[in-house]
Amino acid sequence: MAAAAFGRWLRFRRGLQITGRRVAVCEQSHSYRFYSGNTAHPKVEGTDITGIEDIIIPRKKTWDKVAVLQALASTVNRDPTAVPYGFQDDPYLIPASAMESRSFLLAKKSGENAAKFIVNSHPKYFQKDIAEPHIPCLMPEYFEPQIEDVSEAALKERISLRKVKASVDMFDQLLQAGTPVSLETTNSLLDLLCYYGDQEPPNEYHFQQTEQSEDLEESSEENNEKSKGKTAHQLSCTWKANNNAERIFALMPEKNEHSYCTMIRGMVKHRAFAQALSMYTELLNNRLHADVHTFNALIEATALIMSEKYEERWNNILSLLKDMVAQKVKPNLQTFNTILKNLRRFYAFGKLPALQTLREMKAFGIEPSLATYHHLIHVFYQHGSPVKGHSLLLIYSIMKELEGKKFSPLDLDDDKFFQSAMNVCSSLRDLDLAYQVHGLLNTGDNWKFIGSDSQRNFYYTKFFSLLCLMEQIDVTLKWYKDLMPSVLFPHSQMLIDLLQALDVANRLEMIPQIWKDSKEYGHTFRNDLREEILMLMARDKHPPQLQMAFADCAADIKSTYESQEAKQAAPSWPASVLNCIAILFLRAERAQDAWKMFGLFRKHNKIPRGELLNEFMDSAKVCNSPAQAIEVVKLANAFSLPVCENLIQRAMTDFAMDPEQKNALGNLTALASDSDGDSDSDSDSDSDK
Amino acid sequence: TAERTSKSERQMRRKALPPRAEKMAVDQDWPSVYPVAAPFKPSVVPLPVRMGYPVKRGVPMVKEGNLELIKIPNFLHLTPVAIKKHCQALKDFCTEWPAALDSDEKCEKHFPIEIDTVDYVSSGPSIRNPKARQVTLRVNCSRLNLDDHAKKKLIKLVGERYCKTTDVLTIKTDRCPLKRQNYDYAMYLLTVLYHESWKTEEWEKNKTEADMEEYIWKNSSSEKRTLETLLQINAAENKMQVNKEELLGTKEVEDYQKSLTSLKNEGENEITLSQYKESVKRLLNFTG
């Protein structure tokens, strides 16, 4: 009995794996109420465990450190009214436009970088460590090489710290001193040089500010290189002939495969294609084998040689592949992706080889990644050229194949797939396909492949425009509420698309709401958006309540124009805007505001429309003020509008006026009948409707 | 010195957006809005709460900018809906309760020892908390196989860790730096106490009446005196000589013994006192 109890006690301690979660045996010290029996005591009746009913204590489950958190996280979804969590959730501090959100995030990141810089520059002040367990990434890092003497260990250290110039100097010193440098170290030095193209690593890396101030006095070319950003650095960096890498390569007493491969890959990375191919022939002459990465680089080099025609380049690629087979090098995913990426450049010629490549890939049993499909889409749906024939159906077969699949990052270009897919959907005007693509995005962890901010914005812009175009208005509005602002800030064009969709669906009552939202998204001063809104509101007559809402909205827009006017010297009221606002005020029976607008016509020298003047006349009649009627007539006369005569007649007939007013009208009639060319009518020059 | 901001700068100054509680749907998913413990954000919580001491003829202050609402802990992330969802998600981590243990008594019967430990969670640079190493072990002494002497010895050994009313022995350990060590130490203590209380040492024979936990009539002064008195009464009345054992066997003496023991052990109350009176009367053959 003691043995049985003992066994059970042990069983209580061990754990069982849960399927689906990453498991490690960890110390679980949760408080448990009951403990099975006494193990080491002399057994007397009473604590008999193996009684009539067998008490089976199940094995304890173990799980990963974050498994519980992940389980709890699966219960919450995205909050549609919130901005991404990186921002402070306060009405004053939420970014109001896409540019602001970007600058907020950049500010936050630059603060972190500044703090890191301070910590790394003065490590002796940051030694105290109160975090338990120890957090290594918060401790200061050391970037200066510690070993000072001239030795291979010092060289290795400088290589690991990524100091290109220092390691080359150290290498030269070692050679001069006569000490041989081992093949491995030389290879790693070559790796460093080829990766960075014989330049120093870019600015942000390791905050080598102090070193750069010394380097400023040296070659100015290097200076220019460093002052650019990281991507510019790598783009502008080309392989110079006889640079350090080549020199060291020539100096090496013995070279193995690794050296050749590194040199080839470095050359291809920095766009020295012909040299890379000649190095490859040298490699073959020495009867060495290249590895799969080198072959990938060579394929890219072959494809990018501008001087040859497409067929020749394709044949060269095929011969390279045959070499691979001969050298018994197995191709990997990168090989096929590189081939497909470069087939894009072959335009129409690349379609058939692309399909062949895909079949080869399947034959090898290599699972295509999202980048593969991205390149395929680009091969078949070239920008600008019409899509015809069976290439039209390619996207459908791709989506059918991808349905429900979850991807993991395998290639650098994986994050471009969704944009290109949505682009194709948008050009094909196919909403179901777009829903399929979006569904794939939401499967499992695929949302990680949406890419950077700009890529995400592009994707959702296209998606939303397609929705506005093709989908029912209720569904569109639901998507609108769902996507903004938690996923992205809409571009003003997206809002205009939405407004047009509302127009088609006859839901113009949503316009004031859309205007309010536009202000939140930073489009307060966008001219095209404001004009569109005003135009849509002013076009037709609506029931009175709606008209009031429209008038309020118009007043709001008017105030934005006014505030803009105060800031800039030159006022910029377009004529259509004035027209629309005035009409809206009149229809909502806000006569005073309307007459203020009336005054603005003359002030800004913009022509009012004929119907507008008629409406003003109606309003004047309602207020029964002949003075206003005369104002209207004067304005019409000033711009020499054809409707002037009508107005004058109406004024005469509808209003009861005193004799001098009648006289004034009479004069105007006389003037009007003398055609145009009167007073300050430069209306023709700035008539914009 | 602060410069006066020009008119254009004042107009450019940032305006606050309307609070996003206005945009929230009535049937939204609240656990998504407050997924974790977060401070109270007035623009996010759509409730018109007020808090604060009202000045005379005033009302408590609104929620915007209200420090009182931010200071207090809020459980907006643990609404019943959220808790239900969490429990559902955490079910995967749990194993089944053994079917045989379906009542408290059975649990007590099969698993008499109870261990209490506490884990502490706080936000800060360190996850360690020195209070987490304490372990409390509780066991019902009736489940330990102790005879009379062992139990008395155990109680003397543990002192105030034993609770008389519930008959529960509680051992709290925190002298080791780790919880597991403290747990082992507590189990070790229990083992040692058990074995020690079963052993009888030499010097235990020297237990005096002052060391006794309860009153035992046998071999006490009261027994001697009673027997002497009864013998003398017998001798005075010239009855047959009875010896001590016979006297001890009589019912009156037994009654007297019981009542005296209960009086001394349980204290003085109506019942024990009346019993004592009755037994004394019967012992000394008083009538009435």
Side-chain angles (χ1 to χ4, degrees):
Chain A
M1 272 195 311
F6 192 71
R8 187 168 290 120
W9 179 70
L10 271 188
R11 217 167 49 199
F12 192 80
R13 284 285 171 160
R14 278 196 305 253
L16 184 67
Q17 299 187 3
I18 301 186
T19 52
R21 302 204 199 278
R22 287 170 290 142
V23 168
V25 177
C26 58
E27 294 182 26
Q28 275 291 318
S29 57
H30 60 278
S31 73
Y32 43 91
R33 256 187 70 98
F34 299 107
Y35 169 73
S36 65
N38 311 317
T39 55
H41 299 271
K43 271 286 172 231
V44 190
E45 76 279 0
T47 49
D48 196 80
I49 296 181
T50 53
I52 305 164
E53 305 151 338
D54 219 10
I55 297 180
I56 311 161
I57 301 175
R59 280 198 196 184
K60 203 168 82 151
K61 296 183 184 173
T62 57
W63 47 82
D64 196 24
K65 278 186 217 173
V66 290
V68 174
L69 284 175
Q70 282 173 338
L72 291 177
S74 65
T75 61
V76 295
N77 307 313
R78 182 169 56 91
D79 179 9
T81 54
V83 283
Y85 71 93
F87 301 111
Q88 295 284 346
D89 199 355
D90 183 82
Y92 197 74
L93 297 173
I94 289 179
S97 70
M99 270 189 17
E100 264 194 18
S101 71
R102 191 176 148 74
S103 71
F104 283 8
L105 288 175
L106 284 176
K108 203 166 160 191
K109 187 68 186 163
S110 84
E112 285 176 24
N113 286 347
K116 200 103 183 82
F117 173 67
I118 302 279
V119 168
N120 289 335
S121 324
H122 307 279
K124 57 185 186 305
Y125 299 125
F126 294 94
Q127 296 298 328
K128 185 169 176 200
D129 181 23
I130 46 174
E132 279 219 53
H134 180 65
I135 305 175
C137 67
L138 292 181
M139 303 303 286
E141 293 171 30
Y142 294 95
F143 296 126
E144 299 304 314
Q146 310 285 336
I147 311 176
E148 288 304 325
D149 57 338
V150 179
S151 69
E152 193 162 327
L155 177 60
K156 279 202 201 135
E157 195 190 3
R158 279 160 180 74
I159 292 176
S160 69
L161 288 174
R162 309 280 190 274
K163 294 194 180 297
V164 172
K165 197 165 183 321
S167 41
V168 169
D169 290 339
M170 179 64 64
F171 183 78
D172 289 332
Q173 282 176 359
L174 278 173
L175 279 189
Q176 276 173 0
T179 46
V181 187
S182 70
L183 184 59
E184 273 176 41
T185 323
T186 326
N187 274 342
S188 53
L189 178 61
L190 272 182
D191 285 341
L192 181 69
L193 287 173
C194 291
Y195 187 81
Y196 286 115
D198 206 22
Q199 311 278 349
E200 288 291 336
N203 272 351
E204 298 88 24
Y205 201 77
H206 288 172
F207 302 104
Q208 290 165 346
Q209 308 272 355
T210 47
E211 216 179 280
Q212 278 176 20
S213 55
E214 302 162 21
D215 288 331
L216 278 173
E217 289 128 45
E218 303 190 20
S219 63
S220 59
E221 190 183 318
E222 259 185 323
N223 198 1
N224 284 337
E225 298 287 312
K226 282 193 191 103
S227 58
K228 292 185 194 153
K230 180 174 174 199
T231 47
H233 169 273
Q234 289 191 345
L235 280 176
S236 62
C237 178
T238 48
W239 189 265
K240 295 192 275 291
N242 270 338
N243 58 6
N244 283 325
E246 288 192 7
R247 182 173 59 89
I248 293 176
F249 187 72
L251 283 174
M252 278 168 76
E254 43 168 292
K255 313 182 202 334
N256 68 353
E257 287 179 350
H258 186 100
S259 337
Y260 279 105
C261 292
T262 316
M263 289 298 289
I264 294 177
R265 286 165 75 183
M267 285 176 184
V268 173
K269 178 173 175 176
H270 299 287
R271 303 209 291 267
F273 304 124
Q275 285 149 308
L277 289 172
S278 55
M279 181 75 61
Y280 176 63
T281 41
E282 210 179 301
L283 174 91
L284 287 179
N285 288 344
N286 287 352
R287 283 189 284 274
L288 293 172
H289 290 193
D291 65 349
V292 66
H293 304 288
T294 321
F295 272 111
N296 295 344
L298 283 170
I299 290 174
E300 192 169 334
T302 332
L304 284 169
I305 294 185
M306 289 301 169
S307 51
E308 300 174 8
K309 290 204 292 231
Y310 299 146
E311 290 87 1
E312 280 182 39
R313 291 191 234 174
W314 177 244
N315 288 335
N316 287 343
I317 293 181
L318 284 178
S319 61
L320 269 177
L321 289 175
K322 290 200 190 81
D323 283 349
M324 265 174 97
V325 171
Q327 293 183 18
K328 296 199 190 20
V329 177
K330 278 186 103 41
N332 64 1
L333 178 67
Q334 297 298 332
T335 322
F336 293 107
N337 279 351
T338 323
I339 298 179
L340 284 172
K341 187 157 89 170
N342 291 306
L343 279 175
R344 269 164 65 171
R345 299 169 205 280
F346 295 173
Y347 301 109
F349 175 75
K351 290 188 188 176
L352 190 57
L355 290 177
Q356 286 175 336
T357 318
L358 193 62
R359 272 185 226 118
E360 277 291 320
M361 189 192 249
K362 297 254 171 74
F364 262 100
I366 298 182
E367 193 64 35
S369 74
L370 282 177
T372 322
Y373 295 110
H374 163 71
H375 296 314
L376 268 180
I377 289 178
H378 267 276
V379 168
F380 279 86
Y381 298 92
Q382 294 283 357
H383 189 68
S385 60
V387 181
K388 52 187 183 292
H390 71 88
S391 52
L392 186 73
L393 299 172
L394 183 72
I395 184 77
Y396 292 99
S397 40
I398 290 182
M399 286 318 298
K400 204 163 76 164
E401 179 152 341
L402 289 181
E403 195 173 314
K405 273 204 199 151
K406 300 191 186 148
F407 290 95
S408 54
L410 290 170
D411 187 301
L412 282 177
D413 289 327
D414 277 342
D415 57 352
K416 304 202 177 67
F417 167 73
F418 283 105
Q419 296 168 70
S420 43
M422 190 51 80
N423 205 6
V424 169
C425 295
S426 170
S427 63
L428 291 177
R429 300 264 197 278
D430 190 340
L431 190 62
D432 288 326
L433 194 63
Y435 277 138
Q436 269 186 321
V437 173
H438 197 66
L440 182 66
L441 183 67
N442 289 336
T443 328
D445 276 344
N446 289 354
W447 57 268
K448 294 182 185 163
F449 290 104
I450 193 65
S452 68
D453 267 357
S454 56
Q455 287 169 313
R456 187 175 64 226
N457 281 347
F458 179 81
Y459 174 88
Y460 279 107
T461 315
K462 287 269 181 241
F463 185 45
F464 192 68
S465 318
L466 194 58
L467 279 173
C468 286
L469 208 54
M470 311 281 297
E471 180 63 276
Q472 281 181 8
I473 191 66
D474 287 326
V475 180
T476 313
L477 282 173
K478 258 205 302 199
W479 275 106
Y480 171 71
K481 279 203 187 60
D482 193 44
L483 289 178
M484 338 278 182
S486 51
V487 174
L488 81 161
F489 286 98
H491 197 249
S492 61
Q493 187 58 41
M494 285 167 78
L495 291 170
I496 294 183
D497 287 341
L498 180 65
L499 286 169
Q500 283 171 349
L502 286 173
D503 188 22
V504 165
N506 212 8
R507 290 279 291 268
L508 292 174
E509 68 268 14
M510 302 282 304
I511 293 190
Q513 175 66 35
I514 306 285
W515 167 245
K516 207 156 83 91
D517 291 341
S518 326
K519 280 199 291 181
E520 278 182 29
Y521 303 138
H523 298 307
T524 323
F525 297 116
R526 291 248 183 254
N527 285 331
D528 42 1
L529 185 64
R530 289 186 289 188
E531 285 178 29
E532 181 79 18
I533 290 180
L534 284 171
M535 198 270 295
L536 282 174
M537 287 199 291
R539 206 175 48 191
D540 307 308
K541 274 195 183 282
H542 292 280
Q545 205 180 15
L546 192 54
Q547 211 69 59
M548 302 298 246
F550 279 179
D552 290 331
C553 189
D556 202 25
I557 300 185
K558 179 169 111 121
S559 61
T560 66
Y561 273 109
E562 280 168 0
S563 62
Q564 215 177 3
E565 190 180 273
K567 269 183 275 178
Q568 302 163 3
S572 56
W573 297 77
S576 59
V577 166
L578 288 172
N579 278 319
C580 296
I581 298 183
I583 284 193
L584 286 167
F585 281 146
L586 281 175
R587 286 195 195 140
E589 288 158 32
R590 286 159 66 151
Q592 235 184 349
D593 296 323
W595 284 103
K596 278 202 210 126
M597 295 306 303
F598 188 78
L600 284 176
F601 274 104
R602 189 175 282 259
K603 185 171 156 204
H604 294 286
N605 249 339
K606 300 285 190 309
I607 297 190
R609 279 205 288 260
E611 312 84 55
L612 180 63
L613 290 174
N614 273 326
E615 296 227 2
F616 267 117
M617 196 60 93
D618 291 334
S619 156
K621 187 166 168 204
V622 166
C623 307
N624 226 358
S625 82
Q628 286 179 341
I630 295 189
E631 281 295 320
V632 175
V633 173
K634 276 199 193 138
L635 189 66
N637 190 39
F639 286 123
S640 291
L641 295 174
V643 73
C644 187
E645 286 193 21
N646 272 350
L647 289 173
I648 295 178
Q649 280 176 357
R650 264 191 76 180
M652 297 277 220
T653 47
D654 293 342
F655 289 84
M657 296 194 209
D658 352 336
E660 48 179 88
Q661 287 173 331
K662 281 214 177 121
N663 267 338
L665 269 183
N667 284 340
L668 284 174
T669 324
L671 284 171
S673 58
D674 301 338
S675 70
D676 43 321
D678 241 338
S679 67
D680 53 341
S681 60
D682 48 346
S683 54
D684 288 330
S685 54
D686 59 358
S687 71
D688 43 330
K689 297 195 170 51
Chain B
T1 59
E3 294 176 330
R4 288 184 63 99
T5 51
S6 67
K7 182 163 185 246
S8 59
E9 276 176 40
R10 256 181 280 138
Q11 275 172 346
M12 299 265 279
R13 194 175 290 167
R14 221 174 138 61
K15 289 203 194 61
L17 299 170
R20 69 181 171 99
E22 291 171 9
K23 282 196 262 186
M24 290 179 175
V26 176
D27 56 351
Q28 73 174 338
D29 186 27
W30 179 255
S32 304
V33 181
Y34 258 86
V36 290
F40 180 85
K41 290 175 267 200
S43 62
V44 177
V45 178
L47 306 166
V49 293
R50 288 174 173 267
M51 179 149 172
Y53 187 79
V55 293
K56 259 198 216 142
R57 289 191 286 134
V59 289
M61 300 196 321
V62 283
K63 60 175 178 171
E64 277 87 14
N66 197 332
L67 193 59
E68 300 296 323
L69 281 167
I70 299 179
K71 282 196 293 194
I72 54 173
N74 68 65
F75 287 93
L76 292 162
H77 59 292
L78 289 177
T79 50
V81 177
I83 294 181
K84 214 184 265 187
K85 281 194 197 169
H86 291 174
C87 290
Q88 200 60 36
L90 290 176
K91 276 200 168 66
D92 284 339
F93 293 88
C94 303
T95 50
E96 270 186 22
W97 186 255
L101 294 172
D102 46 6
S103 68
D104 269 344
E105 293 81 23
K106 284 201 194 140
C107 294
E108 287 275 352
K109 178 172 150 224
H110 293 293
F111 300 98
I113 300 183
E114 292 174 25
I115 309 278
D116 292 333
T117 49
V118 188
D119 289 310
Y120 293 86
V121 174
S122 70
S123 72
S126 169
I127 59 171
R128 316 283 178 216
N129 190 318
K131 291 193 276 188
R133 68 183 198 275
Q134 201 197 49
V135 172
T136 306
L137 182 148
R138 278 176 298 145
V139 64
N140 204 326
C141 287
S142 55
R143 302 301 311 281
L144 300 168
N145 302 309
L146 300 165
D147 67 350
D148 193 41
H149 157 262
K151 182 149 183 187
K152 288 200 181 129
K153 182 165 177 187
L154 179 77
I155 292 173
K156 272 202 194 290
L157 278 175
V158 298
E160 47 175 44
R161 293 182 188 77
Y162 173 77
C163 170
K164 233 170 138 204
T165 37
T166 58
D167 200 25
V168 164
L169 167 65
T170 311
I171 300 180
K172 269 196 200 175
T173 42
D174 66 351
R175 63 169 58 186
C176 305
L178 295 181
K179 190 187 294 186
R180 183 184 285 198
Q181 295 169 342
N182 279 321
Y183 167 74
D184 292 337
Y185 179 62
M187 295 306 295
Y188 159 76
L189 273 183
L190 185 64
T191 320
V192 161
L193 282 169
Y194 182 77
H195 287 297
E196 283 297 321
S197 59
W198 269 103
K199 289 187 215 160
T200 312
E201 301 281 340
E202 279 293 320
W203 41 263
E204 284 187 40
K205 293 200 190 74
N206 303 336
K207 188 175 181 183
T208 62
E209 205 173 299
D211 295 325
M212 298 285 188
E213 299 89 6
E214 55 179 10
Y215 184 76
I216 304 179
W217 193 72
K218 194 166 175 311
N219 282 338
S220 72
S221 50
S222 166
E223 191 193 18
K224 286 196 213 99
R225 263 182 276 127
T226 324
L227 288 174
E228 277 173 23
T229 318
L230 285 175
L231 281 174
Q232 279 181 356
I233 295 175
N234 264 338
E237 292 177 359
N238 281 329
K239 284 232 184 90
M240 303 182 292
Q241 283 289 332
V242 288
N243 53 4
K244 287 196 180 157
E245 291 76 17
E246 281 181 21
L247 275 176
L248 279 175
T250 52
K251 193 169 159 296
E252 288 90 12
V253 174
E254 273 184 32
D255 259 347
Y256 178 72
Q257 171 187 342
K258 272 203 212 102
S259 64
L260 188 62
T261 322
S262 68
L263 188 67
K264 289 251 179 186
N265 281 341
E266 290 166 28
E268 297 182 4
N269 55 21
E270 295 260 349
I271 308 169
T272 46
L273 276 177
S274 60
Q275 273 181 351
Y276 182 68
K277 182 172 98 176
E278 294 300 318
S279 64
V280 166
K281 279 205 276 189
R282 266 185 259 128
L283 190 70
L284 299 176
N285 277 334
F286 285 159
T287 53

